[in-house]
C-alpha cells in the first residue's frame, strides 16, 4: 500500500503531536504514524497496584546495557507518547542553559540558537498546554513575553507550610508550572479533580495536558490529518544519492507498507529516533541515515536524577503534591561554584506502593511503621544536569534492539544537592536525618526514572561535522528529513524536558509552514 502526503510525522508524543497540531489548520496533508494504540481508559489508569507494581502501561521492549545485559526500559508506546504518563511539570529551560555553562565534570555546550529565539514558542506552548504558574517567582526564571494562561495551582496545606518554611529560611520556593485542566476559580466545571494518581499515571478523566488530549485529538478534527495507530516505522528509504527520503517503511498489523511524503519528520523519542536512523543505513549512508558526522545516537542524556523521601513530623495528607519547586542551587551554592540542579516535588507516596517492601527497611525510619512512612512522606525529585558525552550512546544490537551505553556525569553535584536538601530538613518540619531514595521502600520505583527524560541523540548545531541537524532541526545531509523530539537537545539543563520539546516543535512547525508555502 502506498499513499502520498505533504508531511509524514513519525511519533505522536510531545514533539510529533505538537507539530501535527501546529501544521493541521494550514490544510497540510499529514500522515501521523504511531507505533502504539490509544491508551485505554479504564479503572486501572488510577490503580497504584496496576500502574506502579504491575507496570501495566510500560511497553514490553527489551534494551541492552553497555555490557549486553537486557533490561526493560520505562517507555510508553501510546498516542501521546510519554506525555500520557508524565507529571506535566512544564518548565522552560533557563536562559543560561542556552549558553555554555561550566559544570563540575565539564562543559554543558551552548545551543546554536538563543533563548530569545525560543521564547515566543515557549509562550505558545504554555498556551497550548494550558500551563499554570507564576513567572518571576523563581529568581532563575527566564524572561517571558506573556503570563501563564492560568494562575499558579495553589499548594495544599502541608506544601504551603513547606513553602513558608523555605521562605522563612531564606530560600526562594516557587509555584511549579503544572499542566492540568483545572480552573481553580471554578472547580465544579474543571476536568481535573487534583488527585493523587497523576505523576506516572495516565489521567482517567483526560484532564492532564498531554499530547493526545491537547494536540493529537484536536488535530484529527481536520480531515487533512490521518493517524495510523499500531504503525511502527522500521526504515526510511532514500533516493540513490541519499539526499532525500522517498519512503517510510511501516509494520502495521503484521503487514509491511510504504508511505511517501514531501517531508518526513522523525519524533520517536531520543532512543527510538536514533534507532530508526541507524536502522536506515544504505549505500549512500553506510553508518546510518544522516550520520556522516557519526553523531547519531551519541550524547544521550537523561538527567542525573534522584527520587527521595523525607518524613514530615506532622502527617502529609497532600493529594496533588507537584505544586512546588526550588531553584536556589540551580547554578551553584555558597560553597560550590558549579551548578547543582533543580529540586521539585513528585507524586505523593501512597501505602499501596509499599506492597512487597523488605521488612528490614523499616530500620531506615526508626519508630515508624511502614504505613506511617506513607502518611508522613514528603517526596522530592532532585535533578542534576548530566553532560553530553560521546560514549553515552544508542547503538543497535545485531538483532536490531537498542543498546544503551551510559555512564553518569556530575555525580558530585548530585550528591551535594542531596546533602543540601538533607541539611535543610530540620527547618522544614521534617525528621532531620531521614532523606532516603524512594526505591529503598518502593521496590518498583524506578531508580533515576529509567529513560523518562531521554534526550540528545541527534543534536542540532551549525557544524555538520559535530551535529546531526541544522538549526531548523533538518538533517544536514538529507534535505527533507527533520527530527523534533528531545533528540535535538545539545544539552539538557536541569529542568524537565517536555515543554522545550513542545516549544521547539512549534518553532520547527513555523519553518515547515514557510517551506511548504502553507
Ligand atoms: C513517568 C514520566 C514522568 C515524566 N514527567 C515529566 C514532567 O513532569 N515534565 C516533563 O517535562 N517531562 C516529563 N517526562 C518526560 C516527557 O514525557 C518526555 O520528555 C517527552 O514526552 C518527550 O517527548 P518526545 O516527543 O521526545 O517523545 P515521546 O513523547 O515519548 O513520543 C515518542 C512517540 O514515538 C512513538 N514511536 C516510537 N518509535 C516509533 C516508531 N518506530 N514508529 C512510530 N512511532 C514510534 C512512541 O510510541 C511515542 O508515542 C516524564 C516521562 C515519564 C515517562
Ligand atoms: S491530578 Fe488532575 S490531571 Fe492529574 S490525573 Fe488527577 S484528574 Fe488527571
Amino acid at each position: 500500500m502506498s499513499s502520498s502526503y505533504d508531511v509524514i510525522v513519525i511519533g505522536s508524543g510531545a514533539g510529533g503531536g505538537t507539530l501535527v497540531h501546529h501544521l493541521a489548520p494550514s490544510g497540510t496533508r499529514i500522515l501521523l504514524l504511531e507505533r502504539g494504540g490509544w491508551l485505554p481508559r479504564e479503572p486501572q489508569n488510577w490503580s497504584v497496584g496496576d500502574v506502579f507494581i504491575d507496570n501495566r502501561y510500560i511497553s514490553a521492549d527489551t534494551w541492552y546495557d553497555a555490557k549486553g545485559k537486557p533490561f526493560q526500559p520505562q517507555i510508553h508506546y501510546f498516542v501521546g507518547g510519554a506525555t500520557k504518563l508524565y507529571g506535566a511539570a512544564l518548565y522552560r529551560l533557563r536562559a543560561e542553559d542556552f549558553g555554555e555553562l561550566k559544570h563540575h565534570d565539564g562543559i554543558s555546550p551552548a545551543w546554536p540558537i538563543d533563548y530569545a529565539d525560543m521564547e515566543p514558542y515557549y509562550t505558545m506552548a504554555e498556551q497550548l498546554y494550558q500551563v499554570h504558574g507564576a513567572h518571576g517567582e523563581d529568581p532563575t526564571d527566564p524572561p517571558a513575553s506573556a503570563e501563564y494562561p492560568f494562575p499558579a495551582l495553589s499548594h495544599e496545606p502541608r506544601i504551603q507550610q513547606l513553602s513558608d518554611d523555605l521562605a522563612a529560611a531564606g530560600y526562594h520556593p516557587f509555584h511549579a508550572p503544572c499542566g492540568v485542566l483545572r480552573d481553580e476559580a471554578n472547580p465544579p466545571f474543571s476536568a481535573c479533580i487534583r488527585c493523587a494518581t497523576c505523576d506516572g499515571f495516565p489521567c482517567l478523566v483526560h484532564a492532564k495536558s498531554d499530547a493526545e488530549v491537547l494536540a493529537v485529538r484536536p488535530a484529527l478534527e481536520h480531515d487533512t490529518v490521518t493517524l495510523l495507530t499500531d504503525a511502527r516505522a522500521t526504515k526510511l528509504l532514500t533516493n540513490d544519492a541519499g539526499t532525500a527520503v522517498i519512503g517510510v517503511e511501516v509494520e502495521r498489523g503484521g503487514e509491511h507498507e510504504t508511505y511517501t511524503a514531501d517531508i518526513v519528520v522523525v519524533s520517536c523519542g531520543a532512543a527510538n529516533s536514533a534507532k530508526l536512523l541507524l536502522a536506515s543505513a544504505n549505500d549512500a549512508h553506510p553508518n546510518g541515515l544522516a550520520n556522516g558526522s557519526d553523531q547519531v545516537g551519541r550524547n544521550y542524556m537523561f538527567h542525573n536524577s534522584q527520587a527521595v523521601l523525607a518524613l514530615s513530623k506532622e502527617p502529609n495528607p497532600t493529594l496533588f503534591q507537584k505544586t512546588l519547586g526550588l531553584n536556589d542551587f540551580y547554578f551553584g551554592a555558597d560553597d560550590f561554584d558549579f551548578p547543582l540542579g533543580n529540586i521539585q516535588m513528585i507524586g505523593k507516596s501512597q501505602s499501596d506502593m509499599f506492597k512487597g517492601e523488605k521488612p528490614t527497611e523499616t530500620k531506615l525510619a526508626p519508630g515508624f511503621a511502614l504505613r506511617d512512612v506513607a502518611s508522613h512522606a514528603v517526596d522530592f525529585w532532585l535533578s542534576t544536569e548530566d553532560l553530553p558525552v560521546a560514549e553515552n550512546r544508542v547503538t543497535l544490537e545485531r538483532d536490531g534492539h537498542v543498546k544503551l551505553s551510559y555512564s553518569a556525569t556530575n555525580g558530585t553535584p548530585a550528591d551535594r544537592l542531596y546533602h543540601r536538601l538533607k541539611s535543610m530538613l530540620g527547618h522544614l518540619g521534617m525528621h532531620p536525618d531521614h532523606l532516603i531514595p524512594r526505591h529503598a521502600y518502593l521496590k518498583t520505583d524506578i531508580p533515576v526514572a529509567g529513560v523518562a527524560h531521554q534526550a540528545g541523540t541527534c543534536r542540532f548545531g551549525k557544524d555538520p561535522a559535530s551535529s546531526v541537524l541544522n538549526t531548523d532541526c533538518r538533517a544536514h545531509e538529507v534535505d527533507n528529513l527533520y527530527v523534533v523530539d528531545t533528540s535535538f537537545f545539545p544539552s539538557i539543563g536541569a529542568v524537565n524536558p517536555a515543554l522545550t520539546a513542545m516549544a521547539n516543535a512549534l518553532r520547527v512547525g513555523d519553518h515547515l509552514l514557510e517551506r511548504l508555502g502553507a
Side-chain angles (χ1 to χ4, degrees):
M1 179 175 156
S2 170
S3 324
S4 197
Y5 297 88
D6 297 320
V7 181
I8 291 176
V9 177
I10 309 170
S12 64
T18 307
L19 175 67
V20 171
H21 183 274
H22 197 54
L23 298 180
S26 68
T28 305
R29 290 168 306 146
I30 304 166
L31 176 64
L32 177 55
L33 297 169
E34 169 53 55
R35 70 177 288 171
W38 298 99
L39 193 145
R41 298 183 73 182
E42 53 187 9
Q44 290 93 328
N45 287 177
W46 280 348
S47 153
V48 171
D50 284 290
V51 176
F52 256 75
I53 313 285
D54 297 339
N55 291 334
R56 186 173 180 84
Y57 303 109
I58 295 187
S59 302
D61 256 16
T62 301
W63 292 3
Y64 296 88
D65 71 9
K67 293 191 173 133
K69 194 172 156 214
F71 68 97
Q72 188 183 5
Q74 185 201 25
I75 199 140
H76 309 283
Y77 297 141
F78 294 106
V79 177
T83 70
K84 286 307 296 172
L85 282 291
Y86 78 165
L90 291 172
Y91 282 81
R92 298 179 178 211
L93 284 172
R94 314 294 88 179
E96 294 84 344
D97 289 323
F98 286 74
E100 185 177 289
L101 273 179
K102 281 205 179 84
H103 279 253
H104 182 267
D105 282 9
I107 296 290
S108 166
W111 286 36
I113 59 171
D114 293 329
Y115 174 74
D117 298 317
M118 195 71 100
E119 197 290 326
Y121 297 104
Y122 272 131
T123 294
M124 220 186 269
E126 285 167 355
Q127 307 279 337
L128 174 60
Y129 284 94
Q130 304 194 20
V131 186
H132 298 59
H135 284 302
E137 272 187 7
D138 168 11
T140 71
D141 223 9
S145 57
E147 232 337 314
Y148 284 105
F150 288 90
L153 274 192
S154 59
H155 298 311
E156 288 172 52
R158 181 63 188 91
I159 304 303
Q160 183 61 53
Q161 186 62 52
L162 173 60
S163 177
D164 294 345
D165 289 345
L166 283 165
Y171 300 105
H172 302 87
F174 58 91
H175 288 89
C178 296
V180 294
L181 309 188
R182 183 169 176 90
D183 178 357
E184 288 205 313
N186 195 7
F189 284 81
S190 295
C192 169
I193 59 164
R194 274 192 82 129
C195 68
T197 44
C198 193
D199 195 5
F201 295 80
C203 179
L204 177 59
V205 295
H206 275 194
K208 195 190 288 195
S209 299
D210 67 42
E212 178 205 338
V213 172
L214 292 182
V216 177
R217 283 180 181 246
L220 289 174
E221 286 169 17
H222 298 266
D223 54 17
T224 44
V225 178
T226 306
L227 167 70
L228 293 183
T229 55
D230 303 304
R232 185 170 69 92
T234 51
K235 189 169 183 178
L236 306 181
L237 310 172
T238 71
N239 57 5
D240 288 345
T243 52
V245 176
I246 56 165
V248 178
E249 282 187 359
V250 173
E251 208 176 275
R252 189 163 74 103
E255 301 291 321
H256 294 270
E257 303 167 341
T258 303
Y259 293 90
T260 61
D262 296 338
I263 287 170
V264 172
V265 183
V266 173
S267 192
C268 301
N272 278 309
S273 286
K275 175 183 174 181
L276 182 59
L277 296 188
L278 292 173
S280 301
N282 59 25
D283 289 346
H285 296 269
N287 298 320
L289 190 53
N291 195 23
S293 62
D294 189 29
Q295 294 300 304
V296 171
R298 292 192 185 271
N299 305 302
Y300 180 94
M301 299 166 281
F302 75 138
H303 280 143
N304 199 331
S305 304
Q306 308 169 74
V308 293
L309 175 158
L311 287 178
S312 173
K313 289 182 175 159
E314 299 298 324
N316 176 17
T318 306
L319 291 172
F320 188 81
Q321 191 169 244
K322 264 183 101 81
T323 53
L324 182 142
L326 189 77
N327 274 335
D328 287 56
F329 312 113
Y330 198 90
F331 295 114
D334 42 13
D335 59 349
F336 196 67
D337 289 338
F338 301 104
L340 297 187
N342 162 271
I343 298 177
Q344 61 183 273
M345 315 306 295
I346 41 176
K348 173 88 180 63
S349 298
Q350 299 175 54
S351 55
D352 282 358
M353 294 178 181
F354 290 68
K355 276 184 188 150
E357 90 294 340
K358 293 157 252 168
T360 51
E361 280 160 5
T362 50
K363 275 201 251 159
L364 294 166
F368 269 84
L370 275 163
R371 65 176 177 282
D372 299 327
V373 173
S375 60
H376 288 69
V378 180
D379 310 79
F380 296 93
W381 176 260
L382 314 185
S383 271
T384 298
E385 177 166 353
D386 60 341
L387 301 172
V389 174
E391 292 72 33
N392 284 347
R393 62 186 299 203
V394 170
T395 49
L396 298 188
E397 291 282 83
R398 264 169 199 277
D399 61 2
H401 282 99
V402 166
K403 177 174 178 178
L404 187 55
S405 308
Y406 182 83
S407 302
T409 57
N410 273 341
T412 301
D415 204 42
R416 288 220 172 211
L417 188 60
Y418 166 85
H419 285 288
R420 267 288 164 158
L421 179 59
K422 194 170 179 186
S423 72
M424 293 153 63
L425 297 178
H427 299 291
L428 305 176
M430 300 188 210
H431 288 272
D433 300 324
H434 192 95
L435 184 68
I436 62 145
R438 287 215 322 180
H439 61 81
Y441 286 124
L442 279 50
K443 264 211 301 217
T444 52
D445 207 31
I446 293 151
V448 294
V451 297
H453 287 190
Q454 57 182 287
T457 53
C458 302
R459 65 183 180 188
F460 78 153
K462 290 184 177 151
D463 180 4
S466 59
S467 56
V468 178
L469 310 171
N470 72 9
T471 53
D472 294 324
C473 289
R474 181 180 68 75
H476 288 295
E477 297 167 25
V478 186
D479 181 57
N480 65 345
L481 174 64
Y482 291 78
V483 180
V484 297
D485 53 33
T486 53
S487 311
F488 82 96
F489 286 32
S491 67
I492 192 171
V495 288
N496 319 45
L499 189 77
T500 300
M502 293 158 174
N504 184 62
L506 296 170
R507 187 182 69 88
V508 174
D510 269 0
H511 160 80
L512 289 178
L513 288 172
E514 202 179 312
R515 175 171 172 164
L516 291 161

